[in-house]
Amino acid sequence: MDLSFTNLSSNTHAEQRVKVLIIGSGPAGLAAALYAARAELNPVVLTGMELGGQVSLTYAVENYPGFPDGVGGNQLVELFQKQAERFGARVEFDTATEVDFSQRPFRVTTYNGVYLADSLIISTGATFIHLNVPGEAKLTGRGVSYCATCDGWFFKDKDVVVVGGGDSALEEGIFLTRYAKSVTIIHRRDSLRAGVILQKRAMENPKIKFMWNTIVTQVVGEEAVRAVQLKNVQTGEEQEFPTDGVFIFIGHHPNTQMFQGHLELDEQGYLVTDMLMHTSLEGVFAAGEVADPHFRQVITSAGMGAAAAMQAIHYLEEHSAEEEEAQLPTA
Ligand SMILES: Cc1cc2nc3c(=O)[nH]c(=O)nc-3n(C[C@H](O)[C@H](O)[C@H](O)COP(=O)(O)OP(=O)(O)OC[C@H]3O[C@@H](n4cnc5c(N)ncnc54)[C@H](O)[C@@H]3O)c2cc1C
């Protein structure tokens, strides 16, 4: 199968009116597009810089139902896109830069123009903080991972390292001991930031070892991870440490900068929604990791996308009924 995305447009335009504008082309955005398109609302999806979202970076997805032999991350989101386009969704290679919610329709400025949207679904996802060391990007999905739930299974009876010292690093490290033969937690300081109970659990786990005051300076391998190059920040000593996998948990932030001051965010910066995907502003919905610090999976993000679109459909129906009523002559 051709893994490149097709039918992408990136037309420069003046103001364009749309019923549903979806910001983000990951699983949440593309699932939302499918539902909105099947309701004949001709949604427009803005891709942002990461076409298909985070999962497009990964080599194999084995926990998305319907693919008993697994599926390439890129291939999966390409199928999402094709399915949405079949019903009339339009995927635009464009990035939103500014929102104005003081007027209706909502005004969204992008690199290529301006959209006036009757309803908006925000699915801008989240970004993992990377180590930014040589080998990391090349070996992502080939031993470098940011998700133990997604990739732990691939490391049955293998040796892995976890980079980080916060709650996520420890939680994911403990989770990885279900599969891995050994988990070495590499932390740049001599004490952990994680909560006391987690620390105790990790320290008592016979499969977990710690390497303190140490940073990863390179991920080593050609087709797959073979080792990490380490440096002790106190002594300057360097070593190549053999490993089969590198799990990086040094931070994760939702892509919500553009919405600060416009919508309610929680203390970690995630968009606040209710169970029905409503944000703090009527007509603006959010789905996927931009509003989800907990599950962070393709299936949960896609599910939230579908739910957000169903709510947007409902919102538009209610509003068009109100408008029709307002236009009726009074007796
Ligand atoms: C390496 C890796 C492997 C993974 N493997 C698995 C796995 O095996 N199974 C699994 O279930 N999950 C996996 N995950 C997690 C999964 O990828 C995410 O949970 C999922 O992609 C979240 O979907 P999302 O649509 O909410 O956001 P994202 O995938 O983060 O997509 C966000 C989208 O928003 C766009 N965007 C951002 N800002 C703007 C803007 N200003 N304007 C327009 N667009 C914008 C981006 O370009 C992107 O298209 C993995 C994650 C990573 C990083």
Side-chain angles (χ1 to χ4, degrees):
M1 183 181 288
D2 174 14
L3 297 186
S4 62
F5 281 73
T6 49
N7 300 328
L8 281 175
S9 42
S10 61
N11 305 320
T12 312
H13 58 85
E15 287 182 355
Q16 230 181 80
R17 179 84 181 253
V18 291
K19 291 191 181 113
V20 183
L21 183 67
I22 299 169
I23 310 182
S25 62
L30 292 173
L34 171 64
Y35 274 69
R38 291 193 77 246
E40 300 188 333
L41 293 172
N42 303 109
V44 169
V45 181
L46 304 180
T47 61
M49 301 307 286
E50 203 172 50
L51 197 57
Q54 296 169 59
V55 73
S56 59
L57 296 175
T58 200
Y59 185 63
V61 177
E62 295 201 330
N63 57 2
Y64 193 80
F67 297 91
D69 300 320
V71 57
N74 204 348
Q75 195 179 358
L76 179 63
V77 278
E78 189 197 6
L79 290 170
F80 275 30
Q81 183 196 346
K82 280 191 174 152
Q83 195 172 353
E85 284 174 340
R86 183 179 148 216
F87 295 101
R90 200 172 89 223
V91 178
E92 288 280 346
F93 192 50
D94 198 359
T95 296
T97 54
E98 207 183 324
V99 290
D100 179 358
F101 295 153
S102 66
Q103 58 176 51
R104 282 169 197 260
F106 305 119
R107 188 181 172 87
V108 177
T109 306
T110 71
Y111 286 149
N112 292 338
V114 170
Y115 288 91
L116 299 176
D118 294 332
S119 69
L120 195 65
I121 297 176
I122 300 171
S123 50
T124 46
T127 307
F128 284 90
I129 299 177
H130 297 97
L131 290 172
N132 286 323
V133 297
E136 180 186 11
K138 183 181 84 173
L139 294 166
T140 292
R142 294 163 191 269
V144 173
S145 174
Y146 304 86
C147 176
T149 312
C150 316
D151 297 328
W153 192 88
F154 296 112
F155 294 88
K156 264 190 183 160
D157 299 322
K158 307 254 183 199
D159 298 308
V160 301
V161 300
V162 164
V163 186
D167 284 341
S168 300
L170 261 58
E171 266 172 29
E172 307 278 325
I174 293 168
F175 178 80
L176 284 167
T177 59
R178 292 173 185 221
Y179 309 100
K181 188 163 68 187
S182 77
V183 176
T184 304
I185 298 182
I186 298 173
H187 187 40
R188 63 189 165 142
R189 299 208 174 87
D190 61 2
S191 60
L192 298 163
R193 275 179 295 114
V196 182
I197 294 176
L198 266 179
Q199 290 197 33
K200 190 166 176 287
R201 253 186 237 153
M203 303 234 179
E204 285 172 358
N205 191 311
K207 284 191 177 179
I208 296 183
K209 287 184 251 121
F210 288 88
M211 211 176 257
W212 306 105
N213 299 312
T214 302
I215 56 169
V216 174
T217 55
Q218 189 184 344
V219 182
V220 185
E222 283 310 314
E223 293 303 310
V225 169
R226 177 170 62 72
V228 277
Q229 185 69 26
L230 302 178
K231 182 176 176 184
N232 184 303
V233 289
Q234 287 189 334
T235 62
E237 196 185 316
E238 296 202 27
Q239 61 165 309
E240 190 174 288
F241 187 79
T243 188
D244 301 301
V246 186
F247 286 81
I248 300 165
F249 302 112
I250 54 171
H252 175 265
H253 60 82
N255 299 322
T256 51
Q257 299 83 333
M258 207 183 0
F259 308 109
Q260 272 170 19
H262 299 280
L263 297 172
E264 189 185 346
L265 308 180
D266 71 10
E267 64 284 355
Q268 291 173 277
Y270 288 87
L271 282 173
V272 174
T273 61
D274 64 11
M275 293 268 293
L276 299 177
M277 306 296 127
H278 298 117
T279 65
S280 52
L281 187 65
E282 206 192 356
V284 179
F285 305 85
E289 285 200 16
V290 73
D292 169 24
H294 302 291
F295 301 113
R296 300 183 193 164
Q297 294 293 289
V298 174
I299 189 165
T300 49
S301 301
M304 289 169 82
M310 287 160 85
Q311 290 305 120
I313 294 162
H314 188 59
Y315 165 82
L316 291 171
E317 275 168 4
E318 270 186 358
H319 279 257
S320 65
E322 275 169 22
E323 269 167 33
E324 271 169 33
E325 240 168 66
Q327 280 162 14
L328 286 178
T330 41

